[in-house]
Amino acid sequence: MIRETEYTRARFAQTSDRLRESVYSAVRPVDELLVAGPIDRISWADAQELDYRPAELGERFGPLWATFWFRLRATVPAEWRGRRVDLLFASNSEAALWDDGRIVQGLNTGGGGERPDAMLTASAEPGPLERQVELACSGLFGAMSSPAELRRCEIAVFDPAAWKLHHDFETLRALEVATNDPAWSGVLRDELHRFCNERDPSILDALYEHGNAAHAHDLAAIGHAHIDTAWLWPLAETYRKMLRTFSSQLRYMDDYPEYRFACSQAQQYAWIKERNADLWTELCAKVAQGQFVPVGGTWVEPDCNLPSGESLVRQFLHGQRFFEREFGRRCREFWSPDAFGYTGQLPQIMREAGITRFLTQKLSWNRFNKPEHHTFTWRGDDGSEVLAHFPPADTYNSEANVPDLLKVQRDFLDHDHSRTSLLVFGYGDGGGGPTRAMLETLRRARDLQGLPRTAQRTSEEFFDALEAEPGERPIVVGELYFEYHRGVYTSQGRTKRGNRRGEQALHDAEFLSCVRGNDARAELDRLWKLLLLQQFHDILPGSSIRLVYEDAERDLAEIEAGANALCGEGDTPVNTIGFPRREVVAGEFVEAPAYGIGRVVEADDSVRVEGLTLENAHLRATLAEDGTLLSLVDKATGRESLKAPGNRLELYDDDPVAWDAWDIDPYTLETGRPAAPADSHTVASSPLRVEIAFVRSLGEASSLVQTVRLDAESRRLEFRTTVDWRESHTLLKVCFPLDVHAPNATYEMPFGYAERPTHYSTSWDRARYEVPGHRWADLSEHGFGVALLSDSKYGWSCYGHELRLSLLRSTKSPDPEADMGEHEFAYALLPHRGGWREAGIVAEAARFNVPMRLTAPPPVEWRRACGSACRSPRLAGRMRSRTTASRWKSRAARSRSPTGLTSS
Ligand SMILES: [Zn+2]
């Protein structure tokens, strides 16, 4: 006997190839192959009207995003009768097989996740057959490295015994190499060697008799295709990715009754329902059988830092409502494997939506500190708890191969208190989901020595088992900050601004429709769903291609216009926020109660300007000719806000080593340099408002006009800015060195806030060098603090006493035009007595973000209710109508409530 391990393994590889080749025992070319195109994304019916011409093997197809339709005719020979016959079609593209108007399955090849085979018939009848193939000139991740090319188009006889033998051998071969048990590896090597010599399948069968150890880890596997709702392709292509993926997976469910496939995002189901009735019927049948498993509970898988609290609630409201209506039940887990960090308010929002379980794996990407647990209790900001699981394979695209199964067992962090974990397997995006080979491996991993005890389970079955485990579970408190992709708080500023404005406009539209008794539910539903779509975790964060932002900017404009149309126009100022206000509106001073009608009043104060010093009853601000802010004194406390000149516009090198639109690298914050001083300024003043406008050039080719504004009675100094932005790999920040000493800064987050350190003492502190925040951030010490308000920016940093807001980036990938051109945004500085709570910073940020709306006078009965509340002299003496007030209040509350799922 002569043995040498590497030589033996090389022979195993060769044997594996030979076994794979024998799966198709006979192959024939097609008789005729015709092609039509290039054309746009059209229906199968429209494709029948095209002019077809002969296609050749080796022919190339393009350009990117074009579509071609093929017609193939083949003859099944008499000797293939009763056999399974497959189509083998390879084209380095995302293709799909169609049969008389029905999509059969995806045929994506050339980009990983190879799927060149599709069953034509399980039991062949001799004679002619005809099919169609739709070829999309794109790859798994959008653009391809080489063009679509027709490489193979044949029909073949499938040999089930050869297929089984190949997978029996292949799984054991992988285990021989990867197992960390040398004794078992030796047995496998010896027996596989004997199989290669003797080709006796019973040798392999005997090896499969070696079952799990008694204490094997319990692994629940679930198929998945993480289809980003838009990313490196436009929304229109996403729909076709879903058709290709779902049709393939539905086929496999017939062949593998144990197969479970999880699919999230109600929006994707809704598209199938609207556009492909046949596939929808098939899908619903598999949902009913428990094989196609709706998960997630949300409309799309949203970003989980940037949408407002209201938006996150609506993600669940519209998601759960869809799942309940279509499938008779709500989801019980929030499925979010890929979002870039998770706000600490999510556990409460999930719970309110009937969800008690949470799945992600994204934090395994953390650069500074890896998560300490895969299974834990996540306690949110209000104390709500959910059961959280991070699949230990650290991916939602596992290939369900032997190395991944072993990795789960080896790397699971919670063996000391838990016996089970989840494996999410299958190619995502254009990869088409799990392959038959993955399902074969999992069949063989049910009970095999050295592997975890593996079974296909639904997400619900897995979490039920996890929840039933006895003993204590670790508790993790507060936001799950993602130590990566910190640029996504700032990239694609116009989309982020559109999202903020859309959120606010829809709030106003709903409020005004309620008080007027207008039934705007259908339109609000439509507009909200369109907004929820934009919050997908690659759209709102700014990590998609140009085509996606062309769609997003158009859709966001439609949302705002639609909401404004519901609000109506007029000349009555209405306060649509829950805080009273006194401020300048259209040149007059207006007072309004919370959710009330404004009336013109005398201001108690006027604003003055002398040189570059602006002053009202609350503030005295002194600007420099260069556009910086030299001093801001809070007159009530006598405190100076600034330690050094503020409103310092700074440019930073912003060329991340990878993930251009996603990342702000740590070094970037060391490269700051002041922008050039302002060239000129102009002053405009009235007793109610003083504005000084500074004009400056910026960076290499950009320009900026900034109007510094102080109003009568106002507690904030505003910086209203327009920029023509033409930079490359440059980050624009504004810095305020505050005369405040505090170890933590506070940032508004959806329906809450997060405190983050202002120092780099530990690796967890350092990792938070750029953080998300919504309408305000605040640095407060005992008795005094300063808040910075923002109308549309989400990226912040605070080191020591220097609070910075990220304004614009200029990344070049995946969108080479990202953020080029016109931008409008505003921020404001607000010093205050006490902490941010006592100072009413939340209210002030709401006032800054949501101006009073000029609209038609609301109905008399609501005006009466409101008039009493604001003690308007005009309405004095009229009794407040409690019934009316409580009616619209409860109406507004109901429409906002995540538990109002049964209302339409
Ligand atoms: Zn994703």
Side-chain angles (χ1 to χ4, degrees), residues 158-187:
F158 177 85
D159 179 345
W163 169 259
K164 177 180 180 302
L165 196 61
H166 169 59
H167 287 284
D168 282 348
F169 183 82
E170 192 55 24
T171 301
L172 294 171
R173 180 172 87 91
L175 186 58
E176 185 275 320
V177 175
T179 180
N180 58 3
D181 176 352
W184 178 224
S185 179
V187 170

Side-chain angles (χ1 to χ4, degrees), residues 450-463:
L451 292 180
R453 186 180 294 110
T454 307
Q456 297 214 29
R457 297 212 180 91
T458 65
S459 155
E460 191 156 331
E461 286 165 345
F462 162 71
F463 274 110

Side-chain angles (χ1 to χ4, degrees), residues 226 228 338 396 536-538:
H226 180 79
D228 288 295
D338 196 29
Y396 47 79
F536 177 74
H537 66 255
D538 282 308

Side-chain angles (χ1 to χ4, degrees), residues 145-405:
S145 49
S146 58
E149 181 185 341
L150 186 60
R151 292 174 181 169
R152 185 174 200 187
C153 184
E154 294 165 325
I155 61 171
V157 173
F158 177 85
D159 179 345
W163 169 259
K164 177 180 180 302
L165 196 61
H166 169 59
H167 287 284
D168 282 348
F169 183 82
E170 192 55 24
T171 301
L172 294 171
R173 180 172 87 91
L175 186 58
E176 185 275 320
V177 175
T179 180
N180 58 3
D181 176 352
W184 178 224
S185 179
V187 170
L188 288 167
R189 200 155 53 248
D190 196 28
E191 290 298 291
L192 292 177
H193 182 85
R194 196 158 69 84
F195 171 80
C196 291
N197 286 347
E198 300 174 16
R199 295 298 173 107
D200 175 1
S202 73
I203 295 171
L204 304 183
D205 293 343
L207 289 169
Y208 281 101
E209 296 295 314
H210 293 253
N212 290 133
H215 56 268
H217 183 65
D218 210 337
L219 183 62
I222 189 159
H224 187 48
H226 180 79
I227 302 181
D228 288 295
T229 297
W231 180 27
L232 303 175
W233 55 87
L235 288 167
E237 194 56 45
T238 307
Y239 170 65
R240 295 206 301 187
K241 285 178 189 285
M242 288 154 41
L243 288 188
R244 293 187 281 261
T245 301
F246 297 168
S247 58
S248 299
Q249 300 311 315
L250 290 165
R251 296 291 90 74
Y252 301 166
M253 285 172 203
D254 292 332
D255 298 340
Y256 299 84
E258 76 277 19
Y259 180 32
R260 301 286 180 271
F261 176 77
C263 179
S264 62
Q265 315 201 61
Q267 170 70 88
Q268 295 193 0
Y269 287 88
W271 280 330
I272 300 282
K273 187 185 177 199
E274 285 160 20
R275 303 179 195 174
N276 193 319
D278 292 340
L279 192 66
W280 177 246
T281 303
E282 276 188 69
L283 189 158
C284 289
K286 294 297 184 196
V287 170
Q289 286 168 24
Q291 287 191 273
F292 202 108
V293 184
V295 293
T298 46
W299 187 249
V300 296
E301 285 180 19
D303 182 88
C304 290
N305 283 320
L306 305 174
S308 68
E310 186 64 37
S311 288
L312 289 175
V313 167
R314 306 263 174 170
Q315 288 286 353
F316 286 96
L317 172 69
H318 288 286
Q320 290 286 60
R321 185 184 281 168
F322 182 91
F323 291 121
E324 188 161 60
R325 277 188 188 157
E326 301 301 333
F327 306 124
R329 55 191 317 222
R330 301 180 193 176
C331 300
R332 294 184 63 198
E333 73 293 281
F334 177 34
W335 183 280
S336 178
D338 196 29
F340 310 145
Y342 301 91
T343 170
Q345 280 290 16
L346 274 171
Q348 184 185 18
I349 294 171
M350 280 183 232
R351 281 238 164 220
E352 293 288 337
I355 284 175
T356 55
R357 290 112 178 235
F358 170 55
L359 177 135
T360 185
Q361 62 79 46
K362 199 65 182 181
L363 270 65
S364 68
W365 289 38
N366 277 4
R367 276 294 179 91
F368 290 74
N369 307 280
K370 295 292 179 193
E372 294 178 10
H373 298 286
H374 286 117
T375 292
F376 59 93
T377 296
W378 183 22
R379 183 177 293 162
D381 292 344
D382 76 320
S384 296
E385 294 182 348
V386 293
L387 174 55
H389 183 70
F390 299 173
D394 292 344
T395 177
Y396 47 79
N397 290 141
S398 168
E399 296 186 17
N401 53 22
V402 167
D404 267 12
L405 299 179

Side-chain angles (χ1 to χ4, degrees), residues 114-131:
E114 300 298 289
R115 201 179 308 268
D117 57 306
M119 186 170 74
L120 292 170
T121 167
S123 178
E125 283 294 323
L129 60 79
E130 185 180 323
R131 297 287 188 280

Side-chain angles (χ1 to χ4, degrees), residues 21 144 161 233 640 727 752-753 776 811 819 827 838 891:
E21 288 158 10
M144 303 164 294
W233 55 87
E640 169 61 53
E727 302 304 294
Y753 64 91
W776 57 270
T811 61
D819 280 319
Y827 50 88
E838 306 92 288
R891 223 184 260 167

Side-chain angles (χ1 to χ4, degrees), residues 59 97 118 186 340 416 581 680 725 758 768 814 846 859 865 878 885:
E59 193 174 338
L97 175 65
F340 310 145
D416 58 354
R581 63 205 301 173
S680 62
W725 186 238
T758 58
R768 286 159 161 78
R878 291 184 182 173

